[in-house]
Amino acid sequence: MDILNFISWIKAGNYRATLPTDTASLIPVAAKDPSRDDGYLSLAVNAAPLQSLYDTANVTQLTSITTAVTVNAHNGIITTVSTPIAAGGTSLGFIVNNSNVTTSSRIVLSCEYPALGTGIPNAFVINISNGSFTIRIANGGSFVLNQAVKVHFMIIN
């Protein structure tokens, strides 16, 4: 069934009661069904939970590695200022203000660092609360971190 047939099918009311007709974002899909004349059963998937994958934003930290940032998206990149972080597990933290975060959010982080052999950045989350969380960046290497770290984040609600 093509998309035009799907739209006609919805407008004609030929759908099951379980179809989320109150949802504005639907992805039409079809499943093989030999009992139907056209051979397909039309279905719809609620696309609202997938929208967070496309809700991206980037922010660059100002003045200090401990300066808070605000980025109201489900995923993106936080670029820190270039501040030396000593070797051997030393860590520094900053607050990320984000209206998508709740106390039950799961936050996934990864680091991007351009300077090979000058340190190993590790980022981790502490203090998740409604509207914010704290990132700490530690240096797990034996050399100082001396360039900006890009922290990639994804918030899962």
Side-chain angles (χ1 to χ4, degrees):
M1 177 180 283
D2 63 27
I3 189 65
L4 295 176
N5 285 336
F6 178 78
I7 292 168
S8 298
W9 179 79
I10 291 289
K11 286 183 177 179
N14 298 326
Y15 51 84
R16 300 190 193 296
T18 58
L19 185 71
T21 57
D22 60 335
T23 302
S25 303
L26 295 176
I27 299 173
V29 293
K32 281 281 203 182
D33 185 352
S35 68
R36 293 184 45 91
D37 290 340
D38 63 2
Y40 290 93
L41 174 63
S42 295
L43 306 166
V45 176
N46 181 354
L50 302 173
Q51 290 175 339
S52 65
L53 296 174
Y54 301 99
D55 177 25
T56 64
N58 301 330
V59 66
T60 299
Q61 195 175 43
L62 301 174
T63 65
S64 166
I65 191 76
T66 58
T67 301
V69 298
T70 299
V71 56
N72 291 314
H74 282 88
N75 64 71
I77 301 171
I78 301 165
T79 303
T80 68
V81 297
S82 179
T83 298
I85 300 177
T90 303
S91 68
L92 297 169
F94 60 93
I95 295 172
V96 178
N97 296 303
N98 188 309
S99 60
N100 297 299
V101 176
T102 67
T103 55
S104 61
S105 294
R106 300 295 173 252
I107 301 164
V108 180
L109 302 177
S110 67
C111 291
E112 178 183 347
Y113 188 65
L116 293 174
T118 63
I120 302 170
N122 296 304
F124 52 97
V125 176
I126 60 173
N127 300 331
I128 299 173
S129 61
N130 288 325
S132 70
F133 61 95
T134 300
I135 292 178
R136 291 199 64 88
I137 298 176
N139 182 358
S142 56
F143 297 96
V144 69
L145 287 175
N146 56 10
Q147 294 186 33
V149 177
K150 290 186 177 183
V151 180
H152 298 249
F153 71 93
M154 177 179 276
I155 300 166
I156 303 169
N157 289 325

